[in-house]
Amino acid sequence: GIQVEQSPPDLILQEGANSTLRCNFSDSVNNLQWFHQNPWGQLINLFYIPSGTKQNGRLSATTVATERYSLLYISSSQTTDSGVYFCAVSEGAQKLVFGQGTRLTINP
Amino acid sequence: DGGITQSPKYLFRKEGQNVTLSCEQNLNHDAMYWYRQDPGQGLRLIYYSQIVNDFQKGDIAEGYSVSREKKESFPLTVTSAQKNPTAFYLCASSKGSGGAWNEQFFGPGTRLTVL
């Protein structure tokens, strides 16, 4: 089955810094989503982005489907950005395959 | 408000007992899913259903059962055959297959602990 790798596994930054999270996947996909899991476990949808570039406020994402990777950019980080960021993909059937996540800690 | 609700938020089970986790959505979505998350890990698919009265096994279906009698509801039963049921369980839904209709949305989750 399809494999999803996220990097880095952990990232610690000061408030105001910028960050880039990466997601590599092993095969062609028809769905790619980025999520933020908050401290209570809720998965919050950030982007549905099987290809191209999208922006939402301080967050943006780019997926290069032909090279099988996606990047999530967070600018001017805030402490509320802390949590775990997941990339998930699907290749045909509707099930999502999740990466192991990147744990982001933003210190004040 | 449209959304996905899961209950209970916390559930404690004695070994050998079956328990049922509730998942309801009022988004008029056709497809629903159950995932399991273990500490420090990503989510893994247990079961999914693309339409009422139909469902398919995911990657880790052993020890679990589901039903889909109504479009809005997709309960998950954790049976005594599940060897290690302590985990965080998340329900999701999507409009259906095809393009942006694949986007999945998640409920708040149920934390199950086996005593």
Side-chain angles (χ1 to χ4, degrees), chain B residues 19-104:
Chain B
V19 291
T20 297
L21 282 58
S22 170
C23 177
E24 305 275 334
Q25 54 96 3
N26 62 3
L27 301 168
N28 199 32
H29 285 176
D30 286 323
M32 297 186 73
Y33 315 81
W34 275 104
Y35 293 87
R36 167 182 172 140
Q37 186 179 29
D38 293 289
Q41 303 295 315
L43 281 66
R44 292 180 292 165
L45 183 69
I46 305 172
Y47 268 98
Y48 66 103
S49 167
Q50 295 176 286
I51 197 169
V52 174
N53 292 322
D54 187 47
F55 47 83
Q56 290 79 39
K57 294 182 179 180
D59 298 321
I60 55 167
E62 185 175 353
Y64 300 97
S65 66
V66 293
S67 63
R68 186 88 188 276
E69 297 177 1
K70 297 187 300 181
K71 186 175 184 176
E72 302 80 16
S73 178
F74 192 39
L76 173 75
T77 297
V78 184
T79 75
S80 57
Q82 169 49 234
K83 300 298 182 189
N84 185 20
T86 294
F88 187 45
Y89 291 87
L90 291 128
C91 177
S93 70
S94 66
K95 285 185 181 178
S97 60
W101 286 25
N102 282 338
E103 186 176 5
Q104 293 187 24

Side-chain angles (χ1 to χ4, degrees), chain A residues 37 39-41, chain B residues 8-12 87-89 109-113:
Chain A
Q37 188 167 40
W40 298 271
Chain B
K9 190 172 183 177
Y10 298 95
L11 185 57
F12 298 90
F88 187 45
Y89 291 87
T110 293
R111 294 192 184 276
L112 173 63
T113 302

Side-chain angles (χ1 to χ4, degrees), chain A residues 2-11 20-26 32-37 43-44 46 68-74 83-89 96-104, chain B residues 37 40-43:
Chain A
I2 196 166
Q3 304 293 317
V4 181
E5 292 185 4
Q6 292 186 242
S7 61
D10 293 280
L11 187 57
T20 301
L21 283 58
R22 186 176 180 102
C23 173
N24 292 333
F25 43 95
S26 60
L32 189 147
Q33 292 184 242
W34 282 99
F35 298 93
H36 175 211
Q37 188 167 40
L43 276 176
I44 299 164
L46 298 177
R68 298 180 185 168
Y69 73 88
S70 184
L71 301 173
L72 177 68
Y73 306 96
I74 305 173
V84 182
Y85 289 80
F86 287 105
C87 168
V89 304
L96 285 175
V97 177
F98 280 75
Q100 297 285 58
T102 292
R103 181 172 297 277
L104 177 64
Chain B
Q37 186 179 29
Q41 303 295 315
L43 281 66

